C-alpha cells in the first residue's frame, strides 16, 4: 500500500516474523485434524507404536484425543469419529453447525444442545485467548515492533476478553432467547412487523418538492427513518417494542469493555508511533469506540457508531482492528454482533488490482447499458476508487468471531461513511488455503461428486498455488467488490422492508465478481477452475440450512444450484454413486445464465424494490426454511440435507 512506504527495515523484518509466527500457530491448530490420518487408529484407541520416528507425532495425537475426549464427556457425547470431526471443526475452524447436527442426530433436547453450545463457546474462547496471550508474550519477549504497537496488541487482547463476555450475553439474550421466542410465537413475517418500531433510527435530510418540477425551489426537511442496522436489543413495553441500547441492556459487560479501552487510551496517549505516525488516528478511534459503547440515547446510536467507522477509515497501518461491523445473526433488526479482532497485513503481498479493474469496468458497462442514474454511477464509482485492500491473516479474535471467522470482508456497511471515505476489503487467502489443505477428505463429497472432479480441485489446491489464489481473488475478493455495486445510501433500507435484503445481497456480490471475470480475458483452465469452485461451494452451502447466522449464504447457494441445474451443468440421479454428474460442456450455458440473471438483479437494485420480489423467482420461503423453486435442484438439495445429517462428519476412507 502506498501509505506504508519508507518503513524502517527492522520493522519490516518484525512484521514478517510476526506474520510467520501467526501462520505457524494456525498450522498447529489446524493440525488437530491429523488424528484422522492413517485410518484414524488413534481415534479407535490404538496407540501408534511405530518407534521413535513417530513418537512426537503420536504424543501430539494422543494429547489431542485426550482433549477431545474430555470435551465429549462434558457435552454428553461418545468420542466416535463423526463426533471428533465435528469437534475439530468447532475448535480449528470455529464452525458450530457440524456439532449441532451431531446433537440432533443423537436426539439431544433443545435445552441440552443450548447448554452444550454454551460450554463449547466458552471452551473455544479460552482456547484462543491462550493462543493470543502466547502470541503477545512472544512479541514482548523478542522485542518486536516498538512500544506503541506492543501496547496496542496488549490492549486489543484485553478488550477482546471483555468482548467475549459481551458476546456470550448478547447471544444468550437476543439470538437464542428473544429471537427464538419471537419466531416460535409469531413466525418470521409477523415478528419482523412487530419489531419494526424498535429499529434504531437516524436523521436524514429529504427534499420537499414544490410542484414545479425543476427542483430549483425545493426545500429540505429533516426526518427520522429506520436504519438498516441496530446497536440495541428490543424490549416489550405495553403493546409495542422499544429499542434498548447495548450500554443499558448489557451494563456490566459494556463497563468492562470501556474500562479496557480507557486503560489502552492511557497507555497509548503517552507513546509515539514513530513508524506510521498514526498515534492520533488510533487515539481518536478508541475514543470514538468508548463513546459509542457508552451511548444510552437510542437516537444517537447510529451517529455514534458512524463516528467509529469514520475514525477507523483513517487508520491505514498493517495493524487493522475489526470492531462490531456485521449483523448476519439477527434476522429481525440486524443488531450488530459483538465482534472484535486484529488483522495483520502480509508484508510481502502487494494487492493485485486485476479484480478491482475488472469489476469497475463491468459495472461501468452494465450501468451504461441499463441506464443507471448519474447519482448511482457516481456513488458506486467513488466507493470503488476509495477501496483499500488488505491481504493478511486474523491475528487476534474474540466475541462473535468465536462462532466463525470470515474468508474475506468488505466494510464498513454504513454507506454514508463509504460515500465519503470508501471501504476496506480484507482478504485472508493465506488462512483459507491452509484450512483447505488440512481438512480431511469427507465421505459426503465423494458420494456427491465424481472422484476425478474432486481430485482436479485438490491438485490445484496442493500443486498450483498461483491458480488457487487467482480463483480466490475472483470468487472471494470479487464477491467483496461485488457488494459495493448498485448500492446507494438508502438502497438497503428500502429493499429490506420485507427483511430479505441480505438473502439476495450475498448472491449479488458473488455473481458480480463472476460476471466481471467473464467479461475479461482468461484461459480455459482458469475458467474451469472458477466454475468448479463456484459449483462445489454452492453444494457445500446446503449444509448451512439450519444455521441462522449464515442464512444469506444458504440462500445464495440455492440460487447457484438453480442455475447449475437449469443450465444442465448438474444432473442428479440418486440411484447412482456419485449422485451428481457435472457436464463441463454446459459451463458456457451456466455462464450465460449468470450474466442474464445479474442484469435482472442490477435492474432490481436500481429500482430499489423489495428483495423477496426477486428472490421468489428462485426460492420459496416456507414456515421452516427456504427451498428451491426448481424441482431437480430441490430433489438434490433434499437428498443432500438428509445425507449430511446422516454422514456429514464422516471422513472419506
Amino acid at each position: 500500500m502506498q501509505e506504508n512506504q519508507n518503513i524502517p527495515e527492522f520493522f519490516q523484518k518484525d512484521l514478517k516474523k510476526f506474520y510467520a509466527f501467526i501462520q505457524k500457530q494456525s498450522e498447529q491448530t489446524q493440525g488437530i485434524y491429523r488424528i484422522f490420518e492413517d485410518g484414524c487408529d488413534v481415534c479407535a484407541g490404538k496407540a501408534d507404536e511405530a518407534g521413535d520416528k513417530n513418537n512426537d507425532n503420536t504424543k501430539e495425537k494422543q494429547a489431542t484425543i485426550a482433549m477431545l475426549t474430555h470435551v465429549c464427556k462434558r457435552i454428553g457425547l461418545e468420542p466416535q469419529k463423526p463426533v471428533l470431526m465435528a469437534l475439530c471443526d468447532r475448535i480449528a475452524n470455529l464452525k458450530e453447525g457440524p456439532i449441532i447436527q451431531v446433537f440432533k442426530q443423537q436426539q439431544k433436547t433443545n435445552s441440552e444442545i443450548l447448554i452444550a453450545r454454551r460450554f463449547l463457546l466458552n471452551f473455544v474462547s479460552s482456547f484462543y485467548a491462550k493462543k493470543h496471550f502466547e502470541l503477545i508474550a512472544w512479541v514482548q519477549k523478542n522485542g518486536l515492533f516498538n512500544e506503541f504497537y506492543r501496547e496496542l496488541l496488549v490492549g486489543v487482547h484485553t478488550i477482546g476478553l471483555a468482548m467475549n463476555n459481551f458476546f456470550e450475553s448478547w447471544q444468550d439474550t437476543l439470538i437464542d432467547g428473544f429471537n427464538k421466542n419471537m419466531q416460535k410465537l409469531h413466525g418470521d413475517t409477523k415478528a419482523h412487523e412487530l419489531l419494526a418500531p424498535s429499529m434504531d433510527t437516524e436523521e436524514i435530510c429529504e427534499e420537499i418538492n414544490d410542484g414545479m418540477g425543476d427542483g430549483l425551489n425545493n426545500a429540505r426537511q429533516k426526518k427520522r427513518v429506520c436504519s438498516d442496522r441496530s446497536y440495541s436489543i428490543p424490549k416489550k413495553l405495553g403493546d409495542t417494542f422499544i429499542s434498548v441500547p447495548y450500554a443499558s441492556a448489557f451494563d456490566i459487560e459494556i463497563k468492562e469493555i470501556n474500562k479496557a479501552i480507557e486503560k489502552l487510551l492511557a497507555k497509548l496517549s503517552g507513546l509515539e508511533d514513530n513508524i506510521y505516525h498514526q498515534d492520533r488516528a488510533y487515539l481518536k478511534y478508541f475514543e470514538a469506540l468508548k463513546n459509542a459503547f457508552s451511548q444510552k440515547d437510542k437516537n444517537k446510536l447510529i451517529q455514534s457508531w458512524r463516528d467509529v467507522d469514520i475514525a477507523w477509515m483513517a487508520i491505514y497501518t498493517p495493524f487493522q482492528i475489526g470492531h462490531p461491523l456485521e449483523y448476519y445473526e439477527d434476522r429481525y433488526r440486524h443488531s450488530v454482533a459483538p465482534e472484535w479482532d486484529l488483522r495483520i497485513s502480509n508484508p510481502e503481498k502487494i494487492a493485485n488490482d486485476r479484480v478491482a479493474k475488472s469489476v469497475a469496468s463491468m459495472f461501468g458497462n452494465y450501468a451504461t447499458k441499463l441506464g443507471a442514474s448519474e447519482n448511482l454511477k457516481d456513488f458506486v464509482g467513488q466507493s470503488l476508487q476509495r477501496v483499500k485492500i488488505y491481504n493478511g491473516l486474523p491475528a487476534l479474535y474474540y466475541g462473535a468471531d468465536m462462532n466463525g471467522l470470515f474468508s474475506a470482508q468488505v466494510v464498513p456497511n454504513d454507506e454514508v461513511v463509504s460515500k465519503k471515505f470508501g471501504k476496506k476489503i480484507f482478504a485472508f487467502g493465506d488462512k483459507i488455503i491452509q484450512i483447505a489443505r488440512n481438512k480431511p477428505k469427507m465421505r459426503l463429497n465423494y458420494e456427491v461428486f465424481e472422484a476425478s472432479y474432486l481430485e482436479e480441485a485438490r491438485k490445484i489446491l496442493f500443486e498450483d498455488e498461483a491458480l488457487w489464489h487467482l480463483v480466490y481473488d475472483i470468487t472471494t475478493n470479487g464477491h467483496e467488490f461485488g457488494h459495493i455495486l448498485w448500492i446507494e445510501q438508502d438502497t438497503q433500507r428500502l429493499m429490506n422492508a420485507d427483511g430479505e435484503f441480505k438473502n439476495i445481497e450475498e448472491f449479488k456480490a458473488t455473481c458480480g465478481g463472476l460476471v466481471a471475470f467473464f467479461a475479461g480475458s482468461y484461459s480455459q483452465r482458469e475458467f474451469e477452475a472458477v466454475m468448479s469452485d463456484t459449483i462445489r461451494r454452492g453444494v457445500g452451502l446446503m449444509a448451512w440450512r439450519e444455521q441462522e447466522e449464515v442464512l444469506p449464504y444458504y440462500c445464495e447457494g440455492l440460487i447457484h444450484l438453480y442455475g447449475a441445474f437449469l443450465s444442465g451443468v448438474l444432473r442428479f440421479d440418486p440411484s447412482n454413486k456419485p449422485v451428481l454428474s457435472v457436464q463441463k460442456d454446459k459451463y458456457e450455458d451456466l455462464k450465460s445464465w449468470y450474466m442474464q440473471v445479474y442484469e435482472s438483479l442490477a435492474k432490481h437494485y436500481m429500482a430499489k424494490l423489495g428483495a423477496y420480489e426477486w428472490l421468489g423467482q428462485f426460492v420459496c420461503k416456507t414456515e421452516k426454511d427456504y427451498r428451491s423453486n426448481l424441482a431437480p435442484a430441490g430433489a438434490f438439495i433434499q437428498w443432500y440435507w438428509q445425507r449430511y445429517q446422516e454422514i456429514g462428519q464422516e471422513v472419506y476412507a
Side-chain angles (χ1 to χ4, degrees), residues 124-245:
V124 295
S125 296
S126 299
F127 179 89
Y128 283 99
K130 183 181 177 183
K131 293 276 186 187
H132 300 334
F133 178 81
E134 289 171 355
L135 172 63
I136 294 167
W138 177 81
V139 168
Q140 292 177 320
K141 179 183 177 181
N142 289 277
L144 265 63
F145 310 126
N146 58 17
E147 193 175 356
F148 181 89
Y149 284 101
R150 289 195 295 270
E151 288 295 345
L152 179 69
L153 292 173
V154 172
V156 167
H157 178 62
T158 306
I159 295 167
L161 297 178
M163 288 292 286
N164 281 343
N165 294 331
F166 177 27
F167 174 65
E168 185 177 351
S169 297
W170 180 87
Q171 177 83 17
D172 187 42
T173 303
L174 178 63
I175 306 303
D176 292 330
F178 185 90
N179 280 7
K180 288 277 172 61
N181 194 46
M182 286 296 289
Q183 187 178 33
K184 184 178 178 181
L185 291 175
H186 305 289
D188 283 344
T189 303
K190 185 64 175 177
H192 191 270
E193 179 185 318
L194 289 170
L195 292 171
S198 71
M199 284 291 296
D200 290 353
T201 60
E202 57 181 309
E203 192 172 77
I204 65 168
C205 287
E206 185 179 61
E207 280 194 355
I208 306 172
N209 197 308
D210 63 1
M212 300 297 291
D214 55 13
L216 298 175
N217 299 310
N218 290 359
R220 297 179 69 83
Q221 69 171 4
K222 291 182 178 180
K223 64 180 286 191
R224 296 201 71 83
V225 298
C226 287
S227 179
D228 53 18
R229 65 199 183 282
S230 298
Y231 299 92
S232 60
I233 65 171
K235 180 180 178 181
K236 191 167 187 180
L237 187 65
D239 294 330
T240 190
F241 291 90
I242 62 169
S243 165
V244 181

Side-chain angles (χ1 to χ4, degrees), residues 484-512:
I484 298 170
L485 309 183
W486 313 107
I487 296 285
E488 292 181 272
Q489 190 170 317
D490 60 351
T491 301
Q492 180 168 337
R493 176 171 59 83
L494 294 173
M495 293 183 67
N496 196 47
D498 53 15
E500 299 284 347
F501 176 78
K502 279 288 186 182
N503 294 336
I504 66 171
E505 172 62 19
E506 294 306 324
F507 177 79
K508 185 265 283 184
T510 299
C511 196

Side-chain angles (χ1 to χ4, degrees), residues 58-71:
T58 300
K59 287 180 178 178
E60 186 181 330
K61 283 184 177 182
Q62 289 173 335
T64 300
I65 290 294
M67 175 186 72
L68 295 174
T69 302
H70 169 72
V71 173

Side-chain angles (χ1 to χ4, degrees), residues 206 326 357 421 435 468:
E206 185 179 61
E326 304 284 14
K357 286 181 176 178
F421 303 99
I435 290 171
W468 187 94

Side-chain angles (χ1 to χ4, degrees), residues 538-589:
V539 169
L541 289 173
M542 296 304 94
W544 296 6
R545 183 167 173 168
E546 293 183 351
Q547 291 178 249
E548 179 74 19
E549 70 275 13
V550 287
L551 175 63
Y553 297 101
Y554 176 71
C555 287
E556 178 196 345
L558 289 173
I559 304 171
H560 283 301
L561 292 186
Y562 188 105
F565 276 95
L566 186 70
S567 63
V569 166
L570 292 183
R571 294 176 186 170
F572 171 58
D573 182 354
S575 65
N576 282 342
K577 290 293 184 291
V579 299
L580 281 186
S581 60
V582 182
Q583 311 299 313
K584 291 184 182 180
D585 60 339
K586 296 289 186 180
Y587 275 175
E588 286 291 338
D589 293 335

Side-chain angles (χ1 to χ4, degrees), residues 246-256 296:
Y246 288 161
S248 300
F250 303 100
D251 180 53
I252 296 172
E253 293 86 350
I254 297 298
K255 281 180 179 176
E256 285 301 307
K296 292 186 176 181

Side-chain angles (χ1 to χ4, degrees), residues 269-281:
S269 62
L271 299 172
E272 180 188 358
D273 173 13
N274 56 4
I275 305 298
Y276 299 99
H277 310 291
Q278 286 254 279
D279 38 21
R280 286 305 310 160

